[in-house]
Structures are given as C-alpha cells and as structure tokens.
C-alpha cells in the first residue's frame, strides 16, 4: 500500500494526493494560505454545528448537511449515473456508507466531548493509516505520543472531561476516517475528476436519510435549513476545493505536515466559539497530537 499517495482533511474531506510538485515561493505561499483556510473552514464549521444539532439532532443535522452537499456537488459535476460499471457502483456504495457512518459518529462525539479532544481522537484514524502501512517499525512511536496527548487533553486539572459514549463515538469516527482514506484512494482511481466524490456523497445522503427523518420527524424551518446549507458549504465543499487547488501548488509532503495543525485549530475553534477553555496540560496534549501527526507524515515522506 502506498500510503504516501494519500492525503487527508478532517471530517471526511480525504484527498488522493498528487505526486510531489516543485513549487515557486509564491505558489507555495498561496498553497499554505489555502490549507489554512480549508482547516479553518472545517474546524469552525464543526464548532458552529452546535445550533443545528440542537435543532435537528445529530442524525438530522448530519443527514441535511450530507444531502445539501450531495445536491450542490451533483449540480456542479453532473455525474453520469447510467454509465458507471458495477465495480464503480460498489466502490461508491462502500465509500458513501462509510462517509455517513463516520460523519454521524463525529457529530455525536462533538456533542459529548470538547471539540479539541474529539478532533484529537478522530486524528488517530489517518495517523494509524500512515503508521501501520509500514508495518511494525519505530513509527509506532507516533501513535503512542498521540495517545499521551489525548490523555492530557482528556483531563482539565479537576477531572476527566466528556464521557465514555463520546469517546466511543470519536473512536468510531477515527476508524471510519481510516477506512475512508483507503476507499477514497480506490474511488479516486475509478472515476475522473470529482465524479467519485459526488457519487459517494449522494450515497451518504441516502444512507443517512432514514436516521435523519426518524430524528427530525420531517419538521423543518426555513431558517434552520438555511443554516445547515451554510454548514454544508463550510464542510466539505469549500475545504475540498481549497485542498485540491493547494495540492497543485505545493508538494504533497508539505501539504500533509501542514494539515497536522488541525487538532490545534479544533481546540482554537472550541475556545473561540464554544467557550471551551484549555489548561496548560491540555495545550501540551494538543501539541503532542500535532507533533505526532507531523512526525508520522514527515517520516513517511522520507521512505
């Protein structure tokens, strides 16, 4: 498995990396700016989801977000539904189902855990793909460092934060993210352009529909739908577009290391939007998770 060919963003925005490219200083700077915008969109979009979750519930908000994202991208990409082979349909069914499960778990986790802790646990997914893809080597040190960081994040100086269901949902999201990365590689090779992403989002929206309808009961408001539409644009449509352009302007290894800042941005978004303060020990925990992710990406790039 060529793990170096996989690049990921948070909450399912996984990308198939381009080969390393030589970048001018201007192009690299633009790529860095796009990555920072993408990560900010993802993390602040997650933090801003609390109102939608309160209105429609975890399943309802997730379903509407996936449905809106699928509709918008389908209008832009216009996938040729009748021309795909059985293998292509199977690949998108698997990816779409994984996307729905991963997203449901992620939003259930941030409902129960501080955002920084949920993002850190979630990051164990791509970190495991990067590390275990090379077998039982010294790179196993990186998940251990990340695990230590998560333990620091889980304690606020007075007691353990969050709860067991929240941790389990976050771990479920991490497993889903790891599987999503591997499936995205397969789907990216089977489709041209963004057709694979478009098809998988359609499947994800359909898979989430019964859960969303059961929780919302079909009770919608124009204001609530407009809010979820904005969230769908924040995650995953805008980040995906920004990351695609960024990968054309910078080496994939640099992209992966830069995206390792996501746990830190998640903690910042939790502090600014959700008023979730962090102790010095929790800040150290965030730094350890970021260092483990950056270290795993850098060591993979040298292989």
């Amino acid at each position: 498995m060529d793990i170096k060919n996989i690049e990921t963003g948070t909450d399912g925005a996984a990308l198939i990396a381009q080969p390393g490219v030589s970048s001018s200083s201007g192009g690299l700077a633009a790529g860095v700016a796009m990555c920072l915008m993408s990560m900010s969109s993802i993390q602040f979009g997650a933090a801003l989801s609390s109102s939608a979750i309160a209105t429609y519930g975890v399943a309802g908000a997730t379903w509407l977000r996936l449905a809106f994202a699928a509709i918008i991208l389908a209008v832009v990409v216009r996938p040729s539904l009748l021309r795909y082979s059985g293998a292509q349909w199977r690949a998108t069914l698997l990816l779409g189902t994984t996307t729905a499960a991963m997203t449901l778990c992620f939003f259930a986790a941030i409902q129960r855990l501080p955002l920084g802790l949920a993002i850190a646990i979630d990051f164990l997914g791509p970190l495991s793909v990067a590390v275990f893809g090379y077998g039982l080597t010294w790179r196993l040190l990186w998940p251990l460092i990340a695990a230590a960081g998560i333990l620091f994040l889980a304690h606020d100086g007075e007691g353990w934060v969050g709860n067991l269901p929240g941790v389990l949902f976050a771990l479920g999201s991490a497993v889903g993210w790891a599987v999503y990365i591997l499936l995205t590689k397969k789907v990216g090779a089977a489709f041209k352009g963004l057709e694979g992403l478009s098809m998988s989002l359609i499947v994800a929206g359909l898979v989430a529909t019964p859960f969303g309808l059961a929780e919302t009961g079909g009770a919608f408001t124009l204001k609530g739908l407009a809010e979820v539409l904005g969230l769908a644009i924040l995650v995953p449509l805008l980040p995906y577009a920004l990351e695609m352009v960024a990968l054309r302007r910078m080496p994939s290894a640099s992209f992966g290391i830069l995206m390792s800042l996501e746990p830190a941005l998640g903690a910042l978004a939790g502090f600014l939007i959700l008023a979730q303060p962090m102790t010095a020990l929790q800040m150290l925990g965030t730094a350890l998770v970021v260092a483990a992710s950056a270290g795993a990406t850098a060591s993979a790039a040298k292989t």
Side-chain angles (χ1 to χ4, degrees):
M1 180 188 302
D2 190 359
I3 302 299
K4 289 188 290 182
N5 286 339
I6 301 173
E7 299 289 357
T8 63
T10 297
D11 191 30
L15 302 178
I16 303 303
Q18 311 294 329
V21 295
S22 59
S23 305
S24 65
S25 58
L28 181 60
V32 169
M34 290 175 188
C35 283
L36 291 174
M37 290 171 62
S38 170
M39 289 186 288
S40 299
S41 178
I42 291 169
Q43 302 307 330
F44 283 87
L48 290 168
S49 298
S50 57
S51 176
I53 291 175
T55 302
Y56 295 117
V58 170
T62 300
W63 165 53
L64 290 172
R65 174 175 166 271
L66 289 172
F68 277 130
I71 292 169
I72 293 171
L73 194 58
V75 170
V76 174
V77 175
R78 297 179 184 177
S80 304
L81 303 180
L82 300 180
R83 293 193 306 174
Y84 297 136
S85 66
Q88 288 175 310
W89 274 104
R90 286 190 294 272
T92 55
L93 286 172
L94 286 173
L95 180 57
T97 301
T98 299
T99 300
M102 174 184 66
T103 310
L104 284 166
C105 285
F106 177 74
F107 280 103
I110 66 174
Q111 186 186 35
R112 295 167 171 83
L113 300 175
L115 185 59
L117 175 58
I119 295 295
I121 296 174
D122 195 32
F123 231 69
L124 291 176
L127 180 60
S128 298
V129 172
V131 170
F132 290 103
Y134 291 98
L136 299 177
T137 68
W138 64 269
R139 291 182 179 85
L140 292 176
L141 176 65
W142 299 122
L144 294 178
I145 293 175
I150 289 170
L151 285 177
F152 291 162
L153 273 165
H155 201 279
D156 63 2
E158 298 181 357
W160 299 103
V161 300
N163 52 48
L164 181 58
V167 171
L168 293 176
F169 277 122
L171 288 173
S173 179
V175 172
W177 194 0
V179 175
Y180 181 93
I181 291 170
L182 302 178
L183 290 176
T184 300
K185 181 176 175 64
K186 180 179 294 187
V187 170
F191 291 86
K192 62 180 181 180
L194 298 179
E195 290 186 13
L197 174 66
S198 179
M199 288 295 297
S200 67
L201 280 176
I202 292 172
V203 172
L206 292 174
V207 169
T209 296
F211 302 98
L213 282 177
E215 188 157 23
T216 62
F220 306 116
T221 65
L222 186 59
K223 179 181 178 182
L225 291 175
E227 180 182 3
V228 179
L229 174 60
L231 291 172
I233 294 173
L234 277 176
V235 187
L237 295 180
L238 181 59
Y240 191 94
L242 288 170
E243 290 171 3
M244 284 292 289
V245 177
L247 275 168
R248 296 191 183 103
R249 295 171 176 264
M250 61 193 304
S252 58
S254 300
F255 174 89
I257 292 172
L258 187 61
M259 297 302 284
S260 301
L261 292 173
E262 286 206 62
L265 284 176
L268 178 62
F271 174 73
L272 293 177
I273 296 177
L274 302 175
Q276 297 173 343
M278 298 186 72
T279 65
L281 189 63
Q282 288 175 320
M283 292 180 185
L284 174 60
T286 301
L288 288 175
V289 174
V290 171
S293 179
T297 304
S299 61
K302 293 177 182 178
T303 303

